[in-house]
Amino acid sequence: MVCMLVSSGIFLTDAVVKSYIERHFTQQERHFYQNGRISLENYHNRGMAFEFVNVNPGTLLKVQAGMLCAAAVLSILALRRKGRLTRAGIALLLGGGASNFYDRLRRGYVVDYIRIHAGPKRLRRIVYNISDFCIFSGAVLIVVGVKRKPKKVSPNICTGRCARYLRKKMT
């Protein structure tokens, strides 16, 4: 339930920001913040993965739909068995992926709007959106959550349903 709320929140937040950027910014217009280290702009990303991969838009839509379906299946399989980090990562990944997929389906491109003018030159060229940050963060959390070993909880420190569940599981 929480996973769906987080994913929906990401989807709606990014949709509102993209709509605002589309209405109030031309494609050549940039607004600088943080002493020029960050800019907001209206950039139409027609490719995949920061436009490093250029493929047919129909194929791209199918690939993105497949990736989103795979993430949804992963979330259903992992929600009960995996830890909090993995579930949080899946929620971020689904929310960000759904937002970018909807954008590409509705507009034919993804609206990116955040550029960071710091770090290596290659990274300064890339324009992001909230969904991109959520997808990246979600992937990192999933990897960390999967590699992390679960803690063993002693049934002696639990009371009530928790203790009964642990005792039953240990026998």
Side-chain angles (χ1 to χ4, degrees):
M1 182 68 168
V2 173
C3 180
M4 291 177 68
L5 289 173
V6 169
S7 296
S8 299
I10 292 166
F11 181 89
L12 292 173
T13 301
D14 199 36
V16 167
V17 175
K18 286 175 180 177
S19 178
Y20 177 85
I21 293 291
E22 284 279 278
R23 281 194 321 265
H24 293 91
F25 287 68
T26 64
Q27 280 199 277
Q28 292 79 29
E29 184 178 4
R30 279 190 190 168
H31 294 262
F32 289 92
Y33 301 94
Q34 295 293 316
N35 296 326
R37 289 186 295 239
I38 296 174
S39 67
L40 292 181
E41 59 188 82
N42 183 359
Y43 182 77
H44 297 173
N45 184 349
R46 297 185 189 282
M48 185 174 174
F50 313 114
E51 275 199 8
F52 293 144
V53 180
N54 289 322
V55 288
N56 178 8
T59 305
L60 183 58
L61 201 58
K62 290 175 187 171
V63 167
Q64 201 168 3
M67 289 168 49
L68 193 58
C69 287
V73 168
L74 176 69
S75 72
I76 291 168
L77 295 175
L79 278 180
R80 294 188 186 259
R81 295 188 194 131
K82 299 298 177 185
R84 289 183 188 155
L85 284 178
T86 305
R87 290 192 308 249
I90 290 169
L92 290 171
L93 194 69
L94 279 176
S99 179
N100 279 348
F101 177 72
Y102 178 75
D103 216 22
R104 191 172 306 283
L105 190 63
R106 186 171 156 241
R107 293 183 171 105
Y109 54 86
V110 174
V111 177
D112 290 332
Y113 45 84
I114 301 170
R115 186 185 302 257
I116 301 171
H117 301 277
K121 271 189 174 178
R122 290 187 319 223
L123 295 179
R124 293 181 201 179
R125 295 181 327 179
I126 301 171
V127 186
Y128 307 91
N129 59 35
I130 292 172
S131 293
D132 295 336
F133 291 117
C134 290
I135 291 167
F136 178 76
S137 302
V140 169
L141 286 177
I142 289 170
V143 169
V144 169
V146 167
K147 290 194 176 256
R148 190 173 180 199
K149 292 184 180 180
K151 293 181 184 177
K152 288 191 176 183
V153 179
S154 170
N156 299 331
I157 63 169
C158 295
T159 59
R161 286 182 12 193
C162 174
R164 285 191 299 271
Y165 172 77
L166 287 173
R167 282 189 198 108
K168 187 187 293 184
K169 195 170 184 176
M170 291 178 146
T171 57

